Amino acid sequence: MQEPPGLDDTLELREQLAQAWRAVLDAAVERGSPPQAVVETMASVAHERFAALFGASAAASYLQLLAEQLRDVDHDEATVLVRGDEAPAAAAEMEEPALDPAWIDARTWL
């Protein structure tokens, strides 16, 4: 995907975009839409657009990688529960998802 002239894909840009998505989600929920429906619809639209930009195979791989990351987080949390350990304070207070926003940059799309 080519970036428009003058638009750098930086961490700051990604943070601004994430804030914009959250604002749209919050506004829809405030207007009475069920949060689950809003999130599912946003994910579907984003996935369709991703597939249009990068191809269906890349979109499927992207979802698979997201699922693997979430599965790893769930596995780590389950391990803590099984051992009876206390969850780390930083993880318990984390407001953002446990996904690494740079993970996709390490993936080569062919």
Side-chain angles (χ1 to χ4, degrees), residues 16-93:
Q16 290 174 355
L17 293 171
Q19 289 174 355
W21 276 91
R22 285 185 196 103
V24 169
L25 187 147
D26 291 344
V29 171
E30 286 173 7
R31 286 192 301 266
S33 298
Q36 296 87 345
V38 176
V39 171
E40 288 176 15
T41 302
M42 289 177 79
S44 294
V45 170
H47 188 256
E48 288 172 14
R49 184 67 173 149
F50 191 102
L53 290 170
F54 298 102
S57 181
S61 294
Y62 182 87
L63 285 180
Q64 181 178 6
L65 290 170
L66 284 175
E68 289 171 4
Q69 281 195 337
L70 291 173
R71 191 171 26 250
D72 290 344
V73 170
D74 285 346
H75 179 269
D76 293 343
E77 290 174 359
T79 300
V80 168
L81 290 173
V82 168
R83 289 185 190 158
D85 298 336
E86 287 189 35
E93 296 174 8

